[in-house]
Amino acid sequence: MHADHETPGRFFLLGMQKSGTTWLQTLLDSHPAIICRNEGGFQQFATALARSIGEYDGFVEARADVFGKGGYPHMTPREVRALYRTFLDGRMLRDLGSRPAVRWVGDKDPNHGQEVRLLLAALPEARFVQIVRDGRDQAVSSWHHVHRIHGERAASRFPEFGSFALRLAGEWAKGIRSIRTELAAVGAPYCEVRYEDLLAEPRRSLRRVLNFFEVAADDDTISACLSAADFERLSGRPRGEEDRTSFFRKGIAGDWRSLMDDRLAVEYVRRTGGLMSELGYA
């Protein structure tokens, strides 16, 4: 479904944690025709709503026991889908008055990968973009991220990088495959971009994503987006200069070599069931 001039089209930006979702969000949000919001909490809402619906249906059943026939039925799937859509529209389409040129509004959240079916049920016309990253680098970046956020608790739970990385290998492969499979099953519009391609060929890679949304992809527009999302502008450091206290720690490809020896790297690749090779990483 193409976005019209009254209500912008909606899209979801997905990707495994620490795969570059924030970078791509910033790139897209810098385009004059796109707003890409940051983690509106749909998964948390859906979890809370499921609990509330269960409680409500229990209330309906209790009233039926008291008054007999004629009470309200359980909530239908259609009613639930309407609640999901109302939440998403309310969160995503807010405050658009100052941006009349906007044609697409998106929400970035790594957790969206776990809720693809619900997102499709709520907004079947939505488009999806997934950014993928070499799973070994994703593991290294996630390792530093959880230790930065959780400190001693992370050190106690994940004392050794190797076991942490191998546990993530299966999750990485399963997450990417499930997104692809569920979207392909319904023919949802889908664009996939590699983190490494954005690094090596930023103009070409970003232009492909912008063409997916059918918005301006001229050199000046792309230059403005790349400038707004420049690593040095976001972090205050040149790309590759590490700061383990920052969300934007290093921003490079191939950093897995800093923590993985050959044995661990080979075992990681094996546990992804061929996906690393399929994506051109092994």
Side-chain angles (χ1 to χ4, degrees):
M1 178 177 177
H2 192 278
D4 59 38
H5 295 293
E6 296 180 357
T7 302
R10 267 82 87 212
F11 71 93
F12 298 101
L13 173 54
L14 316 89
M16 302 301 290
Q17 180 188 48
K18 304 306 293 181
S19 290
T21 54
T22 300
W23 181 25
L24 185 53
Q25 176 211 350
T26 307
L27 286 166
L28 294 176
D29 192 57
S30 301
H31 193 284
I34 300 175
I35 291 176
C36 190
R37 304 190 188 278
N38 182 45
E39 302 190 17
F42 176 75
Q43 185 182 59
Q44 289 72 22
F45 173 80
T47 300
L49 180 61
R51 183 168 56 248
S52 296
I53 290 172
E55 294 174 356
Y56 174 77
D57 285 345
F59 164 81
V60 168
E61 292 172 2
R63 282 293 180 268
D65 289 342
V66 172
F67 296 107
K69 295 182 179 180
Y72 283 102
H74 287 182
M75 291 195 69
T76 66
R78 181 178 180 180
E79 290 171 328
V80 176
R81 289 195 299 271
L83 292 175
Y84 288 143
R85 187 180 185 103
T86 298
F87 172 83
L88 289 168
D89 281 349
R91 297 279 79 196
M92 297 170 71
L93 298 179
R94 71 188 192 281
D95 303 330
L96 295 182
S98 61
R99 300 280 301 274
V102 167
R103 295 181 58 205
W104 293 96
V105 177
D107 185 73
K108 179 273 288 185
D109 195 334
N111 288 331
H112 283 332
Q114 303 170 39
E115 307 295 349
V116 169
R117 292 182 184 179
L118 293 184
L119 294 171
L120 285 167
L123 291 171
E125 73 275 22
R127 297 188 181 187
F128 292 80
V129 178
Q130 177 173 207
I131 182 168
V132 300
R133 185 182 189 183
D134 185 322
R136 297 164 297 189
D137 277 338
Q138 187 262 344
V140 169
S141 189
S142 295
W143 167 262
H144 289 294
H145 180 68
V146 298
H147 280 75
R148 180 178 67 87
I149 296 297
H150 300 294
E152 292 183 2
R153 184 153 60 97
S156 175
R157 185 179 179 187
F158 307 115
E160 192 269 323
F161 172 72
S163 58
F164 174 85
L166 294 180
R167 181 180 66 85
L168 285 190
E171 295 179 7
W172 176 86
K174 180 180 178 181
I176 293 172
R177 283 195 175 108
S178 66
I179 290 170
R180 287 173 157 187
T181 300
E182 291 182 10
L183 293 176
V186 296
Y190 173 66
C191 178
E192 187 173 288
V193 59
R194 297 196 329 161
Y195 177 93
E196 294 77 15
D197 293 337
L198 268 177
L199 278 176
E201 298 182 291
R203 288 183 175 275
R204 179 180 178 183
S205 299
L206 180 56
R207 180 172 281 113
R208 186 168 65 84
V209 179
L210 296 180
N211 287 339
F212 172 71
F213 289 114
E214 304 171 78
V215 296
D218 56 276
D219 288 343
D220 288 344
T221 298
I222 288 178
S223 292
C225 294
L226 292 174
S227 176
D230 179 70
F231 182 87
E232 189 165 352
R233 172 173 287 189
L234 295 175
S235 70
R237 291 169 283 113
R239 187 180 293 277
E241 183 178 308
E242 185 176 31
D243 180 359
R244 295 187 181 182
T245 68
S246 172
F247 179 83
F248 302 102
R249 181 183 63 90
K250 204 169 185 178
I252 64 171
D255 194 42
W256 59 268
R257 295 178 178 85
S258 66
L259 288 180
M260 284 191 179
D261 58 21
D262 289 344
R263 179 199 59 80
L264 179 56
V266 168
E267 179 60 18
Y268 180 97
V269 170
R270 187 188 70 80
R271 293 195 182 197
T272 65
L275 186 58
M276 284 283 287
S277 297
E278 181 183 337
L279 289 170
Y281 292 131

